[in-house]
PDB file of all heavy atoms in Angstrom:
ATOM      1  N   GLY A  78      -8.882 -15.483   1.183  1.00 98.00           N
ATOM      2  CA  GLY A  78      -9.480 -15.193   2.491  1.00 98.00           C
ATOM      3  C   GLY A  78     -10.333 -16.344   2.985  1.00 98.00           C
ATOM      4  O   GLY A  78     -10.566 -17.325   2.267  1.00 98.00           O
ATOM      5  N   HIS A  79     -10.796 -16.195   4.212  1.00 98.00           N
ATOM      6  CA  HIS A  79     -11.642 -17.219   4.832  1.00 98.00           C
ATOM      7  C   HIS A  79     -12.819 -17.562   3.918  1.00 98.00           C
ATOM      8  O   HIS A  79     -13.462 -16.676   3.351  1.00 98.00           O
ATOM      9  CB  HIS A  79     -12.160 -16.690   6.176  1.00 98.00           C
ATOM     10  CG  HIS A  79     -13.071 -17.637   6.874  1.00 98.00           C
ATOM     11  ND1 HIS A  79     -12.674 -18.898   7.245  1.00 98.00           N
ATOM     12  CD2 HIS A  79     -14.370 -17.521   7.245  1.00 98.00           C
ATOM     13  CE1 HIS A  79     -13.687 -19.503   7.831  1.00 98.00           C
ATOM     14  NE2 HIS A  79     -14.725 -18.708   7.846  1.00 98.00           N
ATOM     15  N   LEU A  80     -13.083 -18.844   3.780  1.00 98.00           N
ATOM     16  CA  LEU A  80     -14.143 -19.299   2.882  1.00 98.00           C
ATOM     17  C   LEU A  80     -15.182 -20.084   3.672  1.00 98.00           C
ATOM     18  O   LEU A  80     -14.876 -21.119   4.267  1.00 98.00           O
ATOM     19  CB  LEU A  80     -13.536 -20.177   1.777  1.00 98.00           C
ATOM     20  CG  LEU A  80     -14.484 -20.756   0.731  1.00 98.00           C
ATOM     21  CD1 LEU A  80     -15.266 -19.668   0.005  1.00 98.00           C
ATOM     22  CD2 LEU A  80     -13.705 -21.606  -0.276  1.00 98.00           C
ATOM     23  N   GLN A  81     -16.399 -19.575   3.678  1.00 98.00           N
ATOM     24  CA  GLN A  81     -17.475 -20.307   4.339  1.00 98.00           C
ATOM     25  C   GLN A  81     -17.964 -21.413   3.419  1.00 98.00           C
ATOM     26  O   GLN A  81     -18.028 -21.232   2.200  1.00 98.00           O
ATOM     27  CB  GLN A  81     -18.636 -19.356   4.647  1.00 98.00           C
ATOM     28  CG  GLN A  81     -18.355 -18.426   5.808  1.00 98.00           C
ATOM     29  CD  GLN A  81     -19.469 -17.402   5.929  1.00 98.00           C
ATOM     30  OE1 GLN A  81     -19.491 -16.419   5.194  1.00 98.00           O
ATOM     31  NE2 GLN A  81     -20.398 -17.639   6.838  1.00 98.00           N
ATOM     32  N   THR A  82     -18.362 -22.507   4.023  1.00 98.00           N
ATOM     33  CA  THR A  82     -18.805 -23.669   3.258  1.00 98.00           C
ATOM     34  C   THR A  82     -19.917 -23.301   2.265  1.00 98.00           C
ATOM     35  O   THR A  82     -19.898 -23.743   1.116  1.00 98.00           O
ATOM     36  CB  THR A  82     -19.283 -24.770   4.231  1.00 98.00           C
ATOM     37  OG1 THR A  82     -18.219 -25.016   5.148  1.00 98.00           O
ATOM     38  CG2 THR A  82     -19.620 -26.047   3.506  1.00 98.00           C
ATOM     39  N   ASN A  83     -20.832 -22.452   2.699  1.00 98.00           N
ATOM     40  CA  ASN A  83     -21.967 -22.132   1.816  1.00 98.00           C
ATOM     41  C   ASN A  83     -21.599 -21.178   0.673  1.00 98.00           C
ATOM     42  O   ASN A  83     -22.436 -20.860  -0.164  1.00 98.00           O
ATOM     43  CB  ASN A  83     -23.150 -21.587   2.635  1.00 98.00           C
ATOM     44  CG  ASN A  83     -22.813 -20.284   3.342  1.00 98.00           C
ATOM     45  OD1 ASN A  83     -21.684 -19.784   3.254  1.00 98.00           O
ATOM     46  ND2 ASN A  83     -23.775 -19.726   4.040  1.00 98.00           N
ATOM     47  N   LYS A  84     -20.351 -20.719   0.646  1.00 98.00           N
ATOM     48  CA  LYS A  84     -19.934 -19.826  -0.448  1.00 98.00           C
ATOM     49  C   LYS A  84     -19.102 -20.547  -1.520  1.00 98.00           C
ATOM     50  O   LYS A  84     -18.778 -19.963  -2.551  1.00 98.00           O
ATOM     51  CB  LYS A  84     -19.077 -18.669   0.111  1.00 98.00           C
ATOM     52  CG  LYS A  84     -19.768 -17.822   1.176  1.00 98.00           C
ATOM     53  CD  LYS A  84     -20.604 -16.734   0.537  1.00 98.00           C
ATOM     54  CE  LYS A  84     -21.504 -16.015   1.542  1.00 98.00           C
ATOM     55  NZ  LYS A  84     -20.769 -15.300   2.589  1.00 98.00           N
ATOM     56  N   VAL A  85     -18.776 -21.795  -1.262  1.00 98.00           N
ATOM     57  CA  VAL A  85     -17.920 -22.539  -2.198  1.00 98.00           C
ATOM     58  C   VAL A  85     -18.533 -22.559  -3.593  1.00 98.00           C
ATOM     59  O   VAL A  85     -17.843 -22.393  -4.606  1.00 98.00           O
ATOM     60  CB  VAL A  85     -17.677 -23.985  -1.689  1.00 98.00           C
ATOM     61  CG1 VAL A  85     -16.975 -24.835  -2.741  1.00 98.00           C
ATOM     62  CG2 VAL A  85     -16.877 -23.965  -0.386  1.00 98.00           C
ATOM     63  N   LYS A  86     -19.822 -22.718  -3.646  1.00 97.00           N
ATOM     64  CA  LYS A  86     -20.496 -22.848  -4.946  1.00 97.00           C
ATOM     65  C   LYS A  86     -20.315 -21.618  -5.841  1.00 97.00           C
ATOM     66  O   LYS A  86     -20.359 -21.726  -7.055  1.00 97.00           O
ATOM     67  CB  LYS A  86     -21.983 -23.150  -4.756  1.00 97.00           C
ATOM     68  CG  LYS A  86     -22.761 -22.143  -3.926  1.00 97.00           C
ATOM     69  CD  LYS A  86     -24.243 -22.562  -3.857  1.00 97.00           C
ATOM     70  CE  LYS A  86     -25.086 -21.636  -3.004  1.00 97.00           C
ATOM     71  NZ  LYS A  86     -24.865 -21.846  -1.559  1.00 97.00           N
ATOM     72  N   TYR A  87     -20.086 -20.451  -5.238  1.00 97.00           N
ATOM     73  CA  TYR A  87     -19.946 -19.236  -6.049  1.00 97.00           C
ATOM     74  C   TYR A  87     -18.609 -19.153  -6.774  1.00 97.00           C
ATOM     75  O   TYR A  87     -18.474 -18.432  -7.758  1.00 97.00           O
ATOM     76  CB  TYR A  87     -20.111 -17.983  -5.172  1.00 97.00           C
ATOM     77  CG  TYR A  87     -21.467 -17.888  -4.519  1.00 97.00           C
ATOM     78  CD1 TYR A  87     -21.579 -17.820  -3.133  1.00 97.00           C
ATOM     79  CD2 TYR A  87     -22.625 -17.886  -5.293  1.00 97.00           C
ATOM     80  CE1 TYR A  87     -22.830 -17.743  -2.529  1.00 97.00           C
ATOM     81  CE2 TYR A  87     -23.871 -17.818  -4.696  1.00 97.00           C
ATOM     82  CZ  TYR A  87     -23.971 -17.746  -3.310  1.00 97.00           C
ATOM     83  OH  TYR A  87     -25.192 -17.680  -2.720  1.00 97.00           O
ATOM     84  N   ILE A  88     -17.610 -19.840  -6.237  1.00 98.00           N
ATOM     85  CA  ILE A  88     -16.267 -19.653  -6.815  1.00 98.00           C
ATOM     86  C   ILE A  88     -15.659 -20.908  -7.410  1.00 98.00           C
ATOM     87  O   ILE A  88     -14.598 -20.851  -8.018  1.00 98.00           O
ATOM     88  CB  ILE A  88     -15.279 -19.102  -5.755  1.00 98.00           C
ATOM     89  CG1 ILE A  88     -15.201 -20.047  -4.552  1.00 98.00           C
ATOM     90  CG2 ILE A  88     -15.664 -17.692  -5.340  1.00 98.00           C
ATOM     91  CD1 ILE A  88     -13.917 -19.907  -3.780  1.00 98.00           C
ATOM     92  N   ILE A  89     -16.338 -22.035  -7.236  1.00 98.00           N
ATOM     93  CA  ILE A  89     -15.715 -23.322  -7.574  1.00 98.00           C
ATOM     94  C   ILE A  89     -15.229 -23.387  -9.023  1.00 98.00           C
ATOM     95  O   ILE A  89     -14.196 -23.986  -9.316  1.00 98.00           O
ATOM     96  CB  ILE A  89     -16.669 -24.503  -7.242  1.00 98.00           C
ATOM     97  CG1 ILE A  89     -15.916 -25.824  -7.276  1.00 98.00           C
ATOM     98  CG2 ILE A  89     -17.889 -24.526  -8.176  1.00 98.00           C
ATOM     99  CD1 ILE A  89     -14.929 -26.024  -6.161  1.00 98.00           C
ATOM    100  N   ASP A  90     -15.948 -22.741  -9.936  1.00 97.00           N
ATOM    101  CA  ASP A  90     -15.514 -22.790 -11.336  1.00 97.00           C
ATOM    102  C   ASP A  90     -14.833 -21.484 -11.767  1.00 97.00           C
ATOM    103  O   ASP A  90     -14.666 -21.225 -12.950  1.00 97.00           O
ATOM    104  CB  ASP A  90     -16.701 -23.118 -12.254  1.00 97.00           C
ATOM    105  CG  ASP A  90     -17.855 -22.174 -12.037  1.00 97.00           C
ATOM    106  OD1 ASP A  90     -17.773 -21.294 -11.139  1.00 97.00           O
ATOM    107  OD2 ASP A  90     -18.860 -22.297 -12.763  1.00 97.00           O
ATOM    108  N   LYS A  91     -14.437 -20.655 -10.774  1.00 98.00           N
ATOM    109  CA  LYS A  91     -13.822 -19.372 -11.130  1.00 98.00           C
ATOM    110  C   LYS A  91     -12.390 -19.218 -10.629  1.00 98.00           C
ATOM    111  O   LYS A  91     -11.662 -18.345 -11.088  1.00 98.00           O
ATOM    112  CB  LYS A  91     -14.661 -18.213 -10.587  1.00 98.00           C
ATOM    113  CG  LYS A  91     -16.074 -18.158 -11.175  1.00 98.00           C
ATOM    114  CD  LYS A  91     -16.809 -16.895 -10.758  1.00 98.00           C
ATOM    115  CE  LYS A  91     -18.204 -16.842 -11.357  1.00 98.00           C
ATOM    116  NZ  LYS A  91     -19.111 -17.849 -10.791  1.00 98.00           N
ATOM    117  N   VAL A  92     -11.993 -20.037  -9.672  1.00 98.00           N
ATOM    118  CA  VAL A  92     -10.648 -19.870  -9.098  1.00 98.00           C
ATOM    119  C   VAL A  92      -9.740 -21.046  -9.472  1.00 98.00           C
ATOM    120  O   VAL A  92     -10.215 -22.147  -9.764  1.00 98.00           O
ATOM    121  CB  VAL A  92     -10.686 -19.716  -7.554  1.00 98.00           C
ATOM    122  CG1 VAL A  92     -11.502 -18.501  -7.159  1.00 98.00           C
ATOM    123  CG2 VAL A  92     -11.222 -20.967  -6.868  1.00 98.00           C
ATOM    124  N   CYS A  93      -8.431 -20.775  -9.452  1.00 98.00           N
ATOM    125  CA  CYS A  93      -7.478 -21.839  -9.768  1.00 98.00           C
ATOM    126  C   CYS A  93      -6.891 -22.451  -8.498  1.00 98.00           C
ATOM    127  O   CYS A  93      -6.358 -23.560  -8.536  1.00 98.00           O
ATOM    128  CB  CYS A  93      -6.368 -21.314 -10.669  1.00 98.00           C
ATOM    129  SG  CYS A  93      -5.283 -20.121  -9.863  1.00 98.00           S
ATOM    130  N   LEU A  94      -6.950 -21.721  -7.391  1.00 99.00           N
ATOM    131  CA  LEU A  94      -6.346 -22.211  -6.152  1.00 99.00           C
ATOM    132  C   LEU A  94      -7.073 -21.580  -4.965  1.00 99.00           C
ATOM    133  O   LEU A  94      -7.269 -20.359  -4.935  1.00 99.00           O
ATOM    134  CB  LEU A  94      -4.849 -21.842  -6.127  1.00 99.00           C
ATOM    135  CG  LEU A  94      -3.979 -22.337  -4.975  1.00 99.00           C
ATOM    136  CD1 LEU A  94      -3.909 -23.867  -4.939  1.00 99.00           C
ATOM    137  CD2 LEU A  94      -2.562 -21.764  -5.079  1.00 99.00           C
ATOM    138  N   ILE A  95      -7.451 -22.421  -4.012  1.00 99.00           N
ATOM    139  CA  ILE A  95      -8.049 -21.927  -2.765  1.00 99.00           C
ATOM    140  C   ILE A  95      -6.986 -22.042  -1.674  1.00 99.00           C
ATOM    141  O   ILE A  95      -6.558 -23.149  -1.338  1.00 99.00           O
ATOM    142  CB  ILE A  95      -9.322 -22.727  -2.390  1.00 99.00           C
ATOM    143  CG1 ILE A  95     -10.382 -22.590  -3.491  1.00 99.00           C
ATOM    144  CG2 ILE A  95      -9.871 -22.255  -1.039  1.00 99.00           C
ATOM    145  CD1 ILE A  95     -11.627 -23.460  -3.298  1.00 99.00           C
ATOM    146  N   HIS A  96      -6.529 -20.894  -1.154  1.00 98.00           N
ATOM    147  CA  HIS A  96      -5.410 -20.883  -0.195  1.00 98.00           C
ATOM    148  C   HIS A  96      -5.845 -21.151   1.238  1.00 98.00           C
ATOM    149  O   HIS A  96      -4.997 -21.328   2.108  1.00 98.00           O
ATOM    150  CB  HIS A  96      -4.734 -19.509  -0.200  1.00 98.00           C
ATOM    151  CG  HIS A  96      -4.010 -19.145  -1.456  1.00 98.00           C
ATOM    152  ND1 HIS A  96      -2.712 -18.709  -1.475  1.00 98.00           N
ATOM    153  CD2 HIS A  96      -4.406 -19.149  -2.764  1.00 98.00           C
ATOM    154  CE1 HIS A  96      -2.334 -18.443  -2.710  1.00 98.00           C
ATOM    155  NE2 HIS A  96      -3.346 -18.689  -3.518  1.00 98.00           N
ATOM    156  N   SER A  97      -7.145 -21.108   1.489  1.00 98.00           N
ATOM    157  CA  SER A  97      -7.628 -20.977   2.870  1.00 98.00           C
ATOM    158  C   SER A  97      -8.472 -22.150   3.354  1.00 98.00           C
ATOM    159  O   SER A  97      -9.533 -21.955   3.921  1.00 98.00           O
ATOM    160  CB  SER A  97      -8.434 -19.687   2.962  1.00 98.00           C
ATOM    161  OG  SER A  97      -9.357 -19.608   1.870  1.00 98.00           O
ATOM    162  N   VAL A  98      -7.996 -23.366   3.141  1.00 98.00           N
ATOM    163  CA  VAL A  98      -8.756 -24.534   3.612  1.00 98.00           C
ATOM    164  C   VAL A  98      -8.265 -24.911   5.008  1.00 98.00           C
ATOM    165  O   VAL A  98      -7.079 -25.109   5.230  1.00 98.00           O
ATOM    166  CB  VAL A  98      -8.623 -25.721   2.637  1.00 98.00           C
ATOM    167  CG1 VAL A  98      -9.315 -26.956   3.206  1.00 98.00           C
ATOM    168  CG2 VAL A  98      -9.233 -25.351   1.287  1.00 98.00           C
ATOM    169  N   GLU A  99      -9.209 -24.945   5.936  1.00 98.00           N
ATOM    170  CA  GLU A  99      -8.827 -25.153   7.337  1.00 98.00           C
ATOM    171  C   GLU A  99      -9.689 -26.190   8.034  1.00 98.00           C
ATOM    172  O   GLU A  99      -9.622 -26.342   9.247  1.00 98.00           O
ATOM    173  CB  GLU A  99      -8.892 -23.829   8.094  1.00 98.00           C
ATOM    174  CG  GLU A  99     -10.262 -23.186   7.996  1.00 98.00           C
ATOM    175  CD  GLU A  99     -10.444 -21.980   8.908  1.00 98.00           C
ATOM    176  OE1 GLU A  99      -9.516 -21.606   9.630  1.00 98.00           O
ATOM    177  OE2 GLU A  99     -11.555 -21.434   8.881  1.00 98.00           O
ATOM    178  N   SER A 100     -10.521 -26.911   7.280  1.00 98.00           N
ATOM    179  CA  SER A 100     -11.319 -27.960   7.910  1.00 98.00           C
ATOM    180  C   SER A 100     -11.681 -29.026   6.884  1.00 98.00           C
ATOM    181  O   SER A 100     -11.733 -28.760   5.681  1.00 98.00           O
ATOM    182  CB  SER A 100     -12.606 -27.385   8.511  1.00 98.00           C
ATOM    183  OG  SER A 100     -13.496 -27.003   7.468  1.00 98.00           O
ATOM    184  N   LEU A 101     -11.945 -30.222   7.394  1.00 98.00           N
ATOM    185  CA  LEU A 101     -12.366 -31.314   6.520  1.00 98.00           C
ATOM    186  C   LEU A 101     -13.738 -31.003   5.930  1.00 98.00           C
ATOM    187  O   LEU A 101     -14.011 -31.315   4.770  1.00 98.00           O
ATOM    188  CB  LEU A 101     -12.391 -32.627   7.321  1.00 98.00           C
ATOM    189  CG  LEU A 101     -12.639 -33.891   6.501  1.00 98.00           C
ATOM    190  CD1 LEU A 101     -11.596 -34.082   5.400  1.00 98.00           C
ATOM    191  CD2 LEU A 101     -12.684 -35.123   7.398  1.00 98.00           C
ATOM    192  N   LYS A 102     -14.571 -30.363   6.727  1.00 98.00           N
ATOM    193  CA  LYS A 102     -15.926 -30.023   6.275  1.00 98.00           C
ATOM    194  C   LYS A 102     -15.864 -29.118   5.037  1.00 98.00           C
ATOM    195  O   LYS A 102     -16.574 -29.345   4.051  1.00 98.00           O
ATOM    196  CB  LYS A 102     -16.656 -29.307   7.422  1.00 98.00           C
ATOM    197  CG  LYS A 102     -18.071 -28.905   7.128  1.00 98.00           C
ATOM    198  CD  LYS A 102     -18.767 -28.442   8.416  1.00 98.00           C
ATOM    199  CE  LYS A 102     -19.936 -27.529   8.123  1.00 98.00           C
ATOM    200  NZ  LYS A 102     -19.584 -26.091   8.126  1.00 98.00           N
ATOM    201  N   LEU A 103     -15.017 -28.121   5.076  1.00 98.00           N
ATOM    202  CA  LEU A 103     -14.863 -27.229   3.926  1.00 98.00           C
ATOM    203  C   LEU A 103     -14.295 -27.999   2.729  1.00 98.00           C
ATOM    204  O   LEU A 103     -14.761 -27.852   1.596  1.00 98.00           O
ATOM    205  CB  LEU A 103     -13.946 -26.047   4.283  1.00 98.00           C
ATOM    206  CG  LEU A 103     -13.580 -25.080   3.156  1.00 98.00           C
ATOM    207  CD1 LEU A 103     -14.825 -24.451   2.533  1.00 98.00           C
ATOM    208  CD2 LEU A 103     -12.639 -23.989   3.664  1.00 98.00           C
ATOM    209  N   ALA A 104     -13.330 -28.855   2.984  1.00 99.00           N
ATOM    210  CA  ALA A 104     -12.728 -29.646   1.901  1.00 99.00           C
ATOM    211  C   ALA A 104     -13.763 -30.577   1.269  1.00 99.00           C
ATOM    212  O   ALA A 104     -13.772 -30.767   0.047  1.00 99.00           O
ATOM    213  CB  ALA A 104     -11.548 -30.452   2.438  1.00 99.00           C
ATOM    214  N   GLU A 105     -14.644 -31.145   2.099  1.00 98.00           N
ATOM    215  CA  GLU A 105     -15.684 -32.040   1.570  1.00 98.00           C
ATOM    216  C   GLU A 105     -16.636 -31.286   0.651  1.00 98.00           C
ATOM    217  O   GLU A 105     -17.051 -31.802  -0.392  1.00 98.00           O
ATOM    218  CB  GLU A 105     -16.449 -32.692   2.738  1.00 98.00           C
ATOM    219  CG  GLU A 105     -15.643 -33.810   3.384  1.00 98.00           C
ATOM    220  CD  GLU A 105     -16.230 -34.305   4.707  1.00 98.00           C
ATOM    221  OE1 GLU A 105     -17.080 -33.591   5.294  1.00 98.00           O
ATOM    222  OE2 GLU A 105     -15.819 -35.381   5.167  1.00 98.00           O
ATOM    223  N   GLU A 106     -16.950 -30.071   1.037  1.00 98.00           N
ATOM    224  CA  GLU A 106     -17.840 -29.255   0.195  1.00 98.00           C
ATOM    225  C   GLU A 106     -17.137 -28.893  -1.131  1.00 98.00           C
ATOM    226  O   GLU A 106     -17.743 -28.952  -2.195  1.00 98.00           O
ATOM    227  CB  GLU A 106     -18.253 -27.983   0.960  1.00 98.00           C
ATOM    228  CG  GLU A 106     -19.068 -26.996   0.148  1.00 98.00           C
ATOM    229  CD  GLU A 106     -20.476 -27.463  -0.210  1.00 98.00           C
ATOM    230  OE1 GLU A 106     -20.919 -28.517   0.324  1.00 98.00           O
ATOM    231  OE2 GLU A 106     -21.126 -26.794  -1.033  1.00 98.00           O
ATOM    232  N   ILE A 107     -15.865 -28.546  -1.054  1.00 98.00           N
ATOM    233  CA  ILE A 107     -15.100 -28.236  -2.274  1.00 98.00           C
ATOM    234  C   ILE A 107     -15.062 -29.468  -3.172  1.00 98.00           C
ATOM    235  O   ILE A 107     -15.283 -29.385  -4.386  1.00 98.00           O
ATOM    236  CB  ILE A 107     -13.672 -27.767  -1.917  1.00 98.00           C
ATOM    237  CG1 ILE A 107     -13.717 -26.401  -1.201  1.00 98.00           C
ATOM    238  CG2 ILE A 107     -12.798 -27.680  -3.179  1.00 98.00           C
ATOM    239  CD1 ILE A 107     -12.389 -25.987  -0.561  1.00 98.00           C
ATOM    240  N   SER A 108     -14.811 -30.618  -2.579  1.00 98.00           N
ATOM    241  CA  SER A 108     -14.756 -31.875  -3.322  1.00 98.00           C
ATOM    242  C   SER A 108     -16.086 -32.138  -4.040  1.00 98.00           C
ATOM    243  O   SER A 108     -16.119 -32.455  -5.231  1.00 98.00           O
ATOM    244  CB  SER A 108     -14.429 -33.010  -2.342  1.00 98.00           C
ATOM    245  OG  SER A 108     -14.674 -34.263  -2.922  1.00 98.00           O
ATOM    246  N   LYS A 109     -17.157 -31.969  -3.305  1.00 98.00           N
ATOM    247  CA  LYS A 109     -18.495 -32.227  -3.851  1.00 98.00           C
ATOM    248  C   LYS A 109     -18.817 -31.279  -5.005  1.00 98.00           C
ATOM    249  O   LYS A 109     -19.266 -31.698  -6.078  1.00 98.00           O
ATOM    250  CB  LYS A 109     -19.524 -32.046  -2.717  1.00 98.00           C
ATOM    251  CG  LYS A 109     -20.949 -32.374  -3.088  1.00 98.00           C
ATOM    252  CD  LYS A 109     -21.887 -32.141  -1.905  1.00 98.00           C
ATOM    253  CE  LYS A 109     -22.814 -30.974  -2.202  1.00 98.00           C
ATOM    254  NZ  LYS A 109     -23.632 -30.583  -1.038  1.00 98.00           N
TER     255      LYS A 109
END
Side-chain angles (χ1 to χ4, degrees):
H79 178 60
L80 180 57
Q81 285 173 280
T82 306
N83 63 358
K84 302 275 170 63
V85 171
K86 57 178 178 284
Y87 298 122
I88 58 157
I89 193 70
D90 54 357
K91 298 188 179 69
V92 300
C93 68
L94 184 63
I95 299 174
H96 293 232
S97 48
V98 175
E99 56 171 0
S100 71
L101 188 58
K102 181 170 157 267
L103 175 59
E105 284 169 344
E106 175 69 9
I107 293 168
S108 166
K109 184 181 112 187

